Amino acid sequence: MKSTRMRLPRMCAAVAAAGVLIAPAVAGSAYGASAPALTAPAGPSPDADSDFPQLTPAVAARLDTAVRQVMSEARVPGVTVGLWAPGKGSYVKSFGVADKATGAPMKPDLHVRIGSETKTFTVTALLQLVDQGKLSLDDPIGKYIADVPNGDRITLRELAGMRSGLFNYSLDPDFIKKFQADPEQSFTPKQLLDYSFENPVQFQPGAQFDYSNTNLILLGLVVEKITGRPIHEVIEQDVVKPAGLHRTVFPTSAAMPDPHAQGYTNQTASGKTENSTDWNPSWAWAAGEMVSDLQDLRSWAHTLATGTLLTPATQSERLKTTPMNVPGDGYGLGIFNVQGWIGHNGSIPGYEVLPVYLPEARATMVIVLNTDSQSEGQEPSTLFGEAVTQIVTPDHVYPGHKPLAPKPS
């Protein structure tokens, strides 16, 4: 699948990314074992004082310099970086512009599209149904959705863990052609699945890790079928509201809530940078359609990693990971662990976010930016995450290894 992505036109990288997974993930490698479960203790660690520095003016100055350097090298219009750790202070600062046409500055309170961070909400809604006894992670998808290839053998667990083997619809050439023709058009979940199912399965269920938006479209349909409600209502009522999030929405149109940053992408057919703010995110649906802001993402990163909306048993299942391509990195059920940082990133044309939580320091990092344009094949959110963590958590550098793979879908 990596080589397939490399052959696609530039626009495809953006479309394939409903929000990127972790940048170092390389699809198509086989893994036969699971990594140890991630741990996300809510209380302090014995070594918490040594895990994270005081966010003094001197440290803030180093962070300012590092962020500006990445902005310059990656040509990022605007970015906001937030760091918080109990007893260590906080660092919240915006750089650059939110709107290149007007010069309006980037600010911490602006809404952005969050791409694949949406997957964490969809899988949380699914796991809540597990806790309610309404389904099992080991149920085959065919029990709920008809005509899925290998539907009698692919489990909900394998869908949430990116091990289904189903082709990623957003890499289908016909889908890409249609999207390129009009990025503001709307897609239905059925249309998206049709693009996937026209392609052969990539491998047998559970045999490999392979990041695919198709998996989350199916899980979104399962949530709708079990609850009898649209996915946007389920997520907003059962996940967003109980989590205490006030500026996070699952839109039903391309409209962005105000105030919001303008989004810019060069993942276009021409390779030229375009304003993608009003592109319709329906093509990403339960895999990447949501909108949020810095403070809500800060809160959600902690909620997601510590499992406060789930039973301890279900959260434990969520945090069992399948290795990716680098020792120490793993993917659970709609969640990852990259060098100890637990969470998920997201990318969609024009925007990227990186909300993650480091349990041993009880530290949260959120990076929000208004472009998904890659720099020498690397995600800009990853570049910022790496630059920041080299300063504050040198033993847990995100992602901490190069080279990085292209956007995995």
Side-chain angles (χ1 to χ4, degrees):
M1 193 156 151
K2 178 178 177 183
S3 60
T4 301
R5 291 193 203 97
M6 295 295 284
R7 289 196 300 268
L8 296 175
R10 290 179 60 79
M11 178 61 160
C12 306
V15 178
V20 159
L21 171 64
I22 23 286
V26 174
S29 298
Y31 303 100
S34 293
L38 311 179
T39 57
S45 103
D47 300 320
D49 287 342
S50 62
D51 287 338
F52 204 90
Q54 291 287 338
L55 294 172
T56 62
V59 171
R62 291 178 63 198
L63 290 168
D64 289 353
T65 299
V67 171
R68 289 192 176 104
Q69 181 175 346
V70 173
M71 280 191 72
S72 176
E73 292 176 353
R75 291 179 286 187
V76 171
V79 62
T80 299
V81 176
L83 285 168
W84 304 265
K88 307 297 184 178
S90 62
Y91 172 93
V92 178
K93 194 164 185 178
S94 294
F95 302 79
V97 298
D99 187 331
K100 294 198 294 185
T102 67
M106 193 71 169
K107 295 181 180 180
D109 66 344
L110 298 180
H111 288 92
V112 294
R113 300 196 190 277
I114 64 173
S116 267
E117 188 68 19
T118 302
K119 292 177 171 69
T120 66
F121 290 88
T122 300
V123 174
T124 297
L126 180 85
L127 295 177
Q128 287 177 324
L129 297 176
V130 172
D131 281 340
Q132 295 165 19
K134 295 181 179 179
L135 52 77
S136 167
L137 284 172
D138 297 316
D139 288 343
I141 183 62
K143 179 176 179 179
Y144 305 100
I145 309 296
D147 301 322
V148 178
N150 283 340
D152 59 334
R153 295 191 293 126
I154 296 172
T155 66
L156 304 185
R157 186 191 304 274
E158 289 163 341
L159 291 167
M162 301 297 177
R163 294 181 293 118
S164 71
L166 294 173
F167 184 85
N168 186 356
Y169 68 84
S170 51
L171 293 179
D172 179 80
D174 291 335
F175 166 78
I176 293 165
K177 183 177 180 180
K178 185 174 177 62
F179 183 90
Q180 285 181 335
D182 179 12
E184 297 185 13
Q185 68 185 295
S186 181
F187 289 88
T188 67
K190 182 181 184 305
Q191 286 177 304
L192 302 176
L193 292 179
D194 285 345
Y195 286 116
S196 172
F197 298 165
E198 288 173 358
N199 294 273
V201 297
Q202 306 300 288
F203 51 83
Q204 293 306 303
Q208 300 180 19
F209 172 87
D210 189 42
Y211 195 77
S212 174
N213 291 324
T214 302
N215 298 335
L216 268 292
I217 303 304
L218 287 167
L219 292 182
L221 291 172
V222 170
V223 170
E224 288 194 333
K225 183 165 187 174
I226 295 298
T227 63
R229 293 178 286 155
I231 188 68
H232 69 273
E233 287 186 11
V234 175
I235 287 178
E236 291 183 353
Q237 295 172 8
D238 300 354
V239 182
V240 169
K241 185 175 181 181
L245 308 181
H246 303 290
R247 291 165 59 82
T248 301
V249 296
F250 193 124
T252 56
S253 72
M256 285 274 281
D258 289 323
H260 64 265
Q262 298 294 301
Y264 302 93
T265 184
N266 68 359
Q267 306 300 313
T268 58
S270 67
K272 296 180 180 179
T273 297
E274 296 182 12
N275 186 322
S276 56
T277 306
D278 297 324
W279 288 9
N280 195 323
S282 64
W283 67 269
W285 197 54
E289 191 167 353
M290 292 178 68
V291 173
S292 189
D293 75 348
L294 182 84
Q295 287 296 336
D296 266 14
L297 291 173
R298 171 197 176 185
S299 178
W300 179 244
H302 180 272
T303 296
L304 179 66
T306 57
T308 55
L309 296 184
L310 304 174
T311 64
T314 297
Q315 179 70 359
S316 178
E317 290 298 306
R318 176 171 218 169
L319 297 178
K320 292 178 180 177
T321 64
T322 295
M324 292 178 289
N325 69 315
V326 177
D329 290 358
Y331 196 86
L333 303 179
I335 197 169
F336 67 54
N337 177 354
V338 174
Q339 305 303 316
W341 290 96
I342 298 175
H344 209 292
N345 61 353
S347 178
I348 198 164
Y351 302 92
E352 288 196 351
V353 299
L354 175 61
V356 287
Y357 181 76
L358 184 65
E360 66 182 60
R362 293 184 294 153
T364 304
M365 175 175 68
V366 179
I367 296 170
V368 170
L369 54 155
N370 61 343
T371 184
D372 68 317
S373 299
Q374 294 189 9
S375 176
E376 296 183 356
Q378 298 189 73
E379 301 298 332
S381 62
T382 297
L383 294 173
F384 285 111
E386 185 170 46
V388 168
T389 55
Q390 283 175 341
I391 293 171
V392 297
T393 56
D395 292 334
H396 300 279
V397 175
Y398 178 99
H401 35 68
K402 296 179 181 178
L404 304 180
K407 288 187 176 184
S409 73

